[in-house]
Amino acid sequence: MEFFSDRIYDRSPRALAVSFLCAGALLVLVVDVAIAAAVDATAWTPARLVSGWTVVGVSSLFFHGALTYHRRRAEAARRELETSNQQLQVLSRVFRHNVRNDLNVIRGYADLLADRVDDERSRECLETIRETTDDVVAISEKLRVIEEASPDRPGERIDLVETAREAAAEADGSDVTITMETPAEAWIRADRSVEYPIREVFENAVTHNDGSTRRVDARIEENGTTTSLEVRDNGPGIPDDERAVLRAEQETPLSHASSIGLWLVKWMCETQGGTVGFETTDDGTTVRLRFESATAGAKAKTERAEEQVDAEDRKDGGESRRDGPVSRAR
């Protein structure tokens, strides 16, 4: 179907209109002849054929006009998209390289001033400068991850249990309790970039948790063709306006997300063919990441192989075609 649509799109509106005209004229002729042969040959007149061809000719003109109009709109949209992508690439490169280098310079001077300043108030201001520059540098790193993400996922398999445990270990702290309920392993169809949204989920659950006793509970479940990671914390939760931005998939001057982290989680999971769900209650926030299970495809292949072997056994009267017994992969 995709090959057929590409062949149609590659042809010009004039060629498609001519093809429509020829096919329609031939169809009118075939139908008129069939009706004349089946009903009454004397009732058929050349005027009926001419009127049918006229309708087809007028329709082909409208068809050509509609195709030309939509083709021009599609080309304009494509050029606009290419321009927007180019602008985003330039802005991302400038931000990630130029701005990041300038921030490193600012942080370096802040460190130098920290050794020369004695009063506590000045030290607090310098610490604020360092924390702010570190936050912006972290944002630039997240932008790099998003920019390098590719929707063309190779046929890789990642153990979600191992990835989640590594992310939890990095986000763990002395005043945080992280519990995990997982199977021994849970393989999903994804590449290594899936580590970033999983790490972001655990970092958000820990960093933005202002509870007196911070707690994070993670659970991995396999449900047929999907495998899900559920991370629940007892923090204040994601604000309603930020969750509304993610649902609408667009930001406005009055409605925007305060951090790029949530966008990273959403985009990176969708790039891997997964989905993201957020649920906020008075007890905290729950983030659910769902991915395609890699074990489902392997199990289906094994079952098909076993069915094929069974069919061959029945065909040969229950005897193997080889000298030894048939060994089946489990």
Side-chain angles (χ1 to χ4, degrees):
M1 183 64 68
E2 183 177 356
F3 173 76
F4 182 72
S5 61
D6 291 340
R7 291 290 300 273
I8 292 179
Y9 185 81
D10 291 339
R11 301 186 64 180
S12 65
R14 178 180 298 180
L16 292 174
V18 170
S19 300
F20 176 82
L21 177 62
C22 295
L26 180 60
L27 180 62
V28 169
L29 178 61
V30 171
V31 170
D32 283 357
V33 171
I35 292 176
V39 182
D40 185 8
T42 59
W44 180 86
T45 60
R48 292 173 56 89
L49 182 61
V50 172
S51 63
W53 283 348
T54 302
V55 173
V56 172
V58 174
S59 300
S60 64
L61 293 177
F62 281 104
F63 184 57
H64 177 269
L67 283 176
T68 303
Y69 172 74
H70 287 288
R71 183 67 60 86
R72 289 175 179 174
R73 289 193 59 182
E75 290 295 330
R78 182 184 60 81
R79 289 192 297 267
E80 182 179 354
L81 180 61
E82 291 177 352
T83 301
S84 299
N85 288 336
Q86 186 179 24
Q87 292 173 349
L88 288 175
Q89 290 175 1
V90 172
L91 291 175
S92 177
R93 185 175 66 252
V94 170
F95 179 81
R96 288 196 297 106
H97 294 282
N98 300 47
V99 176
R100 181 168 181 168
N101 291 338
D102 293 341
L103 288 172
N104 288 331
V105 173
I106 294 174
R107 197 185 195 290
Y109 279 112
D111 293 337
L112 290 176
L113 288 175
D115 299 333
R116 300 172 181 267
V117 173
D118 296 331
D119 62 290
E120 188 65 24
R121 176 58 181 167
S122 298
R123 288 182 177 275
E124 291 178 357
C125 293
L126 290 174
E127 183 62 26
T128 301
I129 292 175
R130 282 198 293 259
E131 292 177 356
T132 304
T133 54
D134 289 344
D135 291 341
V136 179
V137 170
I139 291 176
S140 70
E141 179 64 20
K142 294 175 182 179
L143 287 176
R144 181 190 64 81
V145 172
I146 294 174
E147 185 180 7
E148 294 178 355
S150 173
D152 299 327
R153 295 183 297 119
E156 296 185 16
R157 298 167 67 245
I158 299 296
D159 185 6
L160 185 58
V161 174
E162 178 183 358
T163 304
R165 290 188 180 278
E166 292 176 355
E170 293 182 6
D172 198 0
S174 58
D175 58 342
V176 179
T177 301
I178 299 181
T179 61
M180 298 194 67
E181 180 183 344
T182 67
E185 58 183 18
W187 294 91
I188 61 174
R189 295 193 179 277
D191 56 35
R192 300 305 305 181
S193 63
V194 78
E195 297 173 355
Y196 294 98
I198 295 175
R199 187 184 307 159
E200 186 72 20
V201 169
F202 279 96
E203 288 182 357
N204 285 339
V206 173
T207 304
H208 301 290
N209 192 334
D210 56 0
S212 57
T213 303
R214 295 190 293 177
R215 188 182 71 254
V216 178
D217 301 320
R219 182 174 60 180
I220 294 179
E221 291 183 342
E222 294 179 294
N223 183 16
T225 59
T226 61
T227 300
S228 62
L229 168 63
E230 181 180 285
V231 179
R232 180 185 293 106
D233 63 69
N234 63 335
I238 302 174
D240 293 337
D241 55 349
E242 295 202 18
R243 286 186 285 120
V245 168
L246 293 177
R247 287 194 298 266
E249 297 188 348
Q250 64 178 357
E251 294 195 350
T252 65
L254 298 180
S255 179
H256 59 86
S258 60
S259 173
I260 198 174
L262 294 179
W263 285 112
L264 185 146
V265 173
K266 176 179 174 60
W267 288 336
M268 295 296 291
C269 286
E270 291 179 351
T271 299
Q272 300 295 328
T275 59
V276 182
F278 301 94
E279 180 181 346
T280 300
T281 63
D282 295 337
D283 298 329
T285 301
T286 301
V287 181
R288 295 183 182 88
L289 311 181
R290 287 188 176 87
F291 303 95
E292 179 185 356
S293 300
T295 54
K299 182 179 180 180
K301 291 181 180 179
T302 302
E303 291 176 352
R304 288 196 297 268
E306 291 182 352
E307 291 176 357
Q308 184 178 1
V309 171
D310 291 338
E312 292 177 355
D313 289 346
R314 288 192 298 269
K315 182 178 180 181
D316 294 341
E319 296 181 357
S320 173
R321 293 185 176 182
R322 295 183 292 271
D323 294 336
V326 178
S327 60
R328 301 177 184 175
R330 295 293 183 186

